[in-house]
Amino acid sequence: MLFALICKDKPGSLQLRIDTRPAHAAFLGNLIGEGRLAFAGPFLDADGKPDGSLVMIEAPDMAGAQAVAATDPYARAGLFESVEIRAWNWVFQKPAGA
């Protein structure tokens, strides 16, 4: 089942995001290798700077999605003000094999 991790950064935390990005990218790379990442990317503020994340993952259930979210280096570093996890159904424009 797909789950959307909708993450909002704490105000004034851009430097923490930048500093933690290499570990976060490696984390996403591991999810890709495990076949658990559908897509991911940052939300942007009015100035085009990242201020949150959308990470779409494959997990067996909500508990599994919560476990993935908790191990994200961004979450461990305290970057996020909030994380909303929602089950999601990819209906239109789903790539073959996704």
Side-chain angles (χ1 to χ4, degrees):
M1 173 179 280
L2 286 171
F3 289 88
L5 311 181
I6 305 163
C7 310
K8 181 178 178 184
D9 292 1
K10 292 178 182 172
S13 60
L14 181 58
Q15 190 59 52
L16 177 59
R17 173 178 275 275
I18 291 167
D19 294 345
T20 312
R21 189 175 190 294
H24 173 72
F27 167 76
L28 294 178
N30 288 338
L31 291 179
I32 290 169
E34 296 168 358
R36 297 194 298 159
L37 181 68
F39 56 85
F43 290 111
L44 304 176
D45 66 14
D47 297 321
K49 300 217 184 320
D51 67 350
S53 299
L54 173 61
V55 180
M56 192 66 64
I57 61 165
E58 188 77 42
D61 52 29
M62 180 61 76
Q66 290 168 332
V68 171
T71 60
D72 185 331
Y74 280 166
R76 289 184 171 189
L79 174 64
F80 299 135
E81 176 178 88
S82 65
V83 176
E84 180 180 5
I85 303 174
R86 306 264 326 255
W88 189 71
N89 185 21
W90 197 340
V91 176
F92 296 100
Q93 292 292 92
K94 185 176 180 178

